[in-house]
């Protein structure tokens, strides 16, 4: 049965002990607006299972109120949405462009998620995997997330995204990404996905693969996009008032790796600082920390790009 947009669930009954992984998993499966009642102090909920969105939910909002941390304990992905996964209820043959669920994550921390070994849809997304519907990230702290260490297509230590409805850009607002490790995209990674990143910070993330994509003979592949990895056709990056520093890529794009295969993609960097993001293999001349193939060079406005 589809969840009502008005559906609301509260995880917890006023104490830290009442805020459990099982209750988070059940609330996400139910859908609607999810809040937490875990007492007056910050709380860490150690996830023993991955919370999975059911595809008949029109809307799922996970609101941590600024005091909740979901901890994958270095063992599992924290949150999963996939409109093309029939196990999460098959709703349409057009799963690649489905309007719902509308997933929003806000005012919460997601740490130590790990999707290593799960290579369905090319893997990635140690904290969040989102395919189909729409995704919004607002005031979220991602730290210490992991996905597979090598591979040409696996990407997104914190967030991996595909197939957003009508190619709408994913908003990432007032969020931080630190200490992520993945073959590609130590912060975020997407295929065929556009991003609008505003007032956010990426620091200390690293791509860990070797051999790029397609991988060089004798290598496992990967190593692109220390902070951000983007691949597809008509994709767009809108980076505003954001800081990207001290991220590393063994191959291309210590800060940003952007490849539009049919050269229709575009990027705009406004009011941002990209500093100290070494690309140990290759990058685009004149764009420190960036490897870019698109319709035209990125538009850079009131921004600092430096080594």
């Amino acid at each position: 049965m589809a969840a009502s947009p008005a559906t609301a669930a509260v995880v917890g009954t006023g104490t830290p002990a009442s805020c459990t992984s099982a209750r988070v998993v059940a609330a996400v499966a139910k859908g609607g607006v999810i809040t937490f009642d875990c007492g007056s102090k910050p709380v860490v909920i150690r996830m023993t299972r991955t919370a999975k969105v059911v595809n008949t939910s029109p809307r799922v909002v996970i609101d941590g109120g600024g005091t909740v941390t979901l901890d994958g304990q270095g063992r599992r992905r924290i949150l999963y949405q996939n409109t093309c996964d029939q196990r999460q209820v098959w709703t349409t043959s057009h799963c690649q462009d489905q309007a719902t669920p509308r997933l929003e994550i806000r005012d919460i921390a997601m740490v130590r998620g790990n999707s290593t070994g799960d290579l369905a849809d090319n893997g990635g997304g140690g904290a969040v995997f989102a395919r189909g519907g729409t995704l919004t990230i607002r005031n979220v702290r991602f730290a210490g997330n992991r996905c597979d260490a090598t591979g040409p297509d696996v990407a997104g230590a914190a967030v991996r995204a595909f197939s957003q409805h009508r190619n709408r850009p994913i908003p990432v607002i007032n969020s931080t990404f630190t200490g992520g490790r993945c073959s590609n995209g130590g912060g975020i990674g997407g295929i065929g996905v556009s991003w609008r990143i505003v007032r956010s910070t990426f620091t200390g993330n690293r791509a860990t693969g070797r051999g790029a994509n397609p991988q060089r003979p004798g290598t496992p592949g990967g190593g692109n996009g220390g902070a951000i990895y983007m691949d597809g056709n008509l994709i767009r990056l809108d980076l505003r008032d954001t800081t990207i520093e001290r991220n590393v890529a063994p191959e291309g794009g210590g800060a940003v790796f952007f490849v539009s295969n049919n050269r229709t993609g575009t990027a705009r960097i406004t009011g941002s600082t990209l500093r100290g993001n070494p690309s140990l293999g290759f990058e685009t001349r004149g764009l420190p920390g960036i490897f870019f193939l698109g319709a035209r060079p990125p538009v850079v406005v009131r921004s600092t790009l430096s080594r």
Side-chain angles (χ1 to χ4, degrees):
M1 172 182 259
S4 164
T7 298
V10 179
V11 173
T13 57
T15 66
S18 68
C19 289
T20 65
S21 171
R23 285 180 169 170
V24 174
V25 169
V28 171
K30 181 181 178 183
V33 178
I34 301 159
T35 58
F36 295 79
D37 184 9
C38 307
S40 60
K41 297 181 179 180
V43 65
V44 177
I45 301 175
R46 292 174 175 82
M47 301 299 292
T48 58
R49 289 174 53 201
T50 299
K52 296 185 177 182
V53 174
V54 176
N55 292 328
T56 48
S57 296
R59 184 180 183 217
V60 180
V61 177
I62 304 172
D63 186 343
T67 62
V68 174
T69 296
L70 301 183
D71 182 355
Q73 303 187 81
R75 299 177 182 176
R76 60 190 51 82
R77 179 182 282 138
I78 297 169
L79 180 64
Y80 175 81
Q81 171 180 305
N82 189 343
T83 53
C84 292
D85 184 346
Q86 297 188 29
R87 294 169 298 180
Q88 296 308 114
V89 184
W90 183 249
T91 58
T92 173
S93 60
H94 300 288
C95 66
Q96 297 276 14
D97 189 12
Q98 184 171 317
T100 58
R102 301 187 304 277
L103 174 61
E104 180 175 350
I105 310 162
R106 67 191 187 205
D107 298 310
I108 201 165
M110 292 185 164
V111 306
R112 298 200 300 162
N114 192 340
S115 62
T116 299
D118 185 347
L119 293 175
D121 291 303
N122 292 315
V128 179
F129 182 101
R131 181 177 185 182
T134 63
L135 172 64
T136 298
I137 296 169
R138 190 184 303 272
N139 302 325
V140 180
R141 178 175 68 88
F142 295 96
N145 295 291
R146 301 285 184 270
C147 54
D148 287 81
T150 60
D153 291 311
V154 60
V159 180
R160 173 69 149 172
F162 295 85
S163 309
Q164 294 293 289
H165 179 52
R166 296 182 178 174
N167 197 28
R168 291 171 179 165
I170 296 174
V172 177
I173 301 166
N174 292 332
S175 295
T176 62
F177 299 78
T178 61
R181 300 288 185 271
C182 187
S183 180
N184 304 283
I188 61 177
I191 291 183
V193 168
S194 299
W195 302 83
R196 180 169 62 87
I197 302 172
V198 182
R199 295 186 301 277
S200 293
T201 302
F202 296 77
T203 56
N205 303 289
R206 188 179 185 104
T208 57
R210 179 175 56 86
N213 180 8
Q215 68 260 49
R216 296 188 297 272
T219 72
N224 296 319
I228 298 170
Y229 175 92
M230 297 178 63
D231 190 3
N233 288 320
L234 184 57
I235 53 177
R236 302 179 302 281
L237 174 62
D238 183 3
L239 199 66
R240 306 181 193 177
D241 303 317
T242 287
T243 298
I244 304 178
E245 60 182 355
R246 300 192 307 278
N247 306 279
V248 180
E251 300 292 347
V256 178
F257 178 90
F258 181 112
V259 170
S260 168
N261 297 306
N262 66 359
R263 305 298 189 266
T264 59
T266 59
R268 183 180 179 90
I269 302 171
T270 306
S272 297
T273 299
L274 283 67
R275 176 174 53 216
N277 301 291
S279 311
L280 303 181
F282 52 89
E283 60 186 30
T284 300
R285 186 174 182 178
L287 297 172
I290 297 175
F291 180 73
F292 183 87
L293 292 176
R296 56 183 179 272
V299 176
V300 180
V301 180
R302 302 190 315 278
S303 296
T304 299
L305 279 62
S306 66
R307 301 190 188 284

